[in-house]
Amino acid sequence: MAGLDKTTPAPTNIVVHRQSRVLEISFDDGKTFRLPFELLRVYSPSAEVRGHGPGQETLQVGKRDVDIVGLDPVGNYAVQPRFSDGHSTGIYSWDILYALGRDQDQLWAQYLAALEAAGASRDPEPEGGLAATEIRREGKK
């Protein structure tokens, strides 16, 4: 079983590179993707990030330095990372990880454009700041 979609290639190797903050995942079709932790965090499949329907997405800001502190298997179809900012509710099926790898350049460009449009940053607020870690895409906090 690959993921939820039976046509998605199955992973053959997953490595968490903590120093470079990259999740490296190889699939049985020969493709290998290096997914930055930040990309995984800001495109989490969780309801906290995606909402419960179109237009409910929450722009994640200040995630440049996020780490993966744990990676738990979910059945034979997914993994669930635990991030250093406390986020741990996203379940990343093989389908989602493959799509993130395949579409990484486009997704990264969309993320940077959304940050710019919101006047937000990838950098976390300085210690003691009143940082809002999320900004609604509609421009509301």
Side-chain angles (χ1 to χ4, degrees):
M1 175 180 199
L4 302 177
D5 178 348
K6 306 258 191 269
T7 64
T8 300
T12 57
N13 195 37
I14 300 174
V15 179
V16 176
H17 296 282
R18 286 203 166 90
Q19 187 170 4
S20 58
R21 291 189 177 111
V22 169
L23 180 76
E24 182 176 345
I25 183 164
S26 300
F27 289 89
D28 63 7
D29 67 350
K31 293 200 165 88
T32 297
F33 302 113
R34 293 179 54 85
L35 301 169
F37 294 172
E38 182 180 8
L39 180 80
L40 291 167
R41 176 61 181 86
V42 302
Y43 282 102
S44 171
S46 70
E48 176 186 334
V49 173
R50 290 197 178 178
H52 293 283
Q56 295 182 359
E57 301 87 359
T58 301
L59 178 61
Q60 304 297 299
V61 302
K63 302 301 181 190
R64 181 189 303 264
D65 298 330
V66 73
D67 286 317
I68 289 179
V69 296
L71 188 68
D72 302 316
V74 178
N76 291 320
Y77 68 93
V79 291
Q80 186 170 21
R82 287 176 278 123
F83 292 94
S84 59
D85 66 353
H87 182 70
S88 63
T89 58
I91 295 176
Y92 296 73
S93 68
W94 308 143
D95 310 330
I96 290 170
L97 290 169
Y98 195 90
L100 286 171
R102 182 193 61 217
D103 302 334
Q104 183 174 175
D105 292 340
Q106 176 186 353
L107 292 169
W108 190 254
Q110 289 172 359
Y111 170 57
L112 294 178
L115 284 174
E116 185 175 345
S121 174
R122 293 175 54 212
D123 295 314
E125 285 286 323
E127 200 66 27
L130 298 175
T133 58
E134 303 166 340
I135 298 175
R136 292 257 175 230
R137 288 198 192 266
E138 302 87 27
K140 302 174 201 161
K141 286 189 180 179

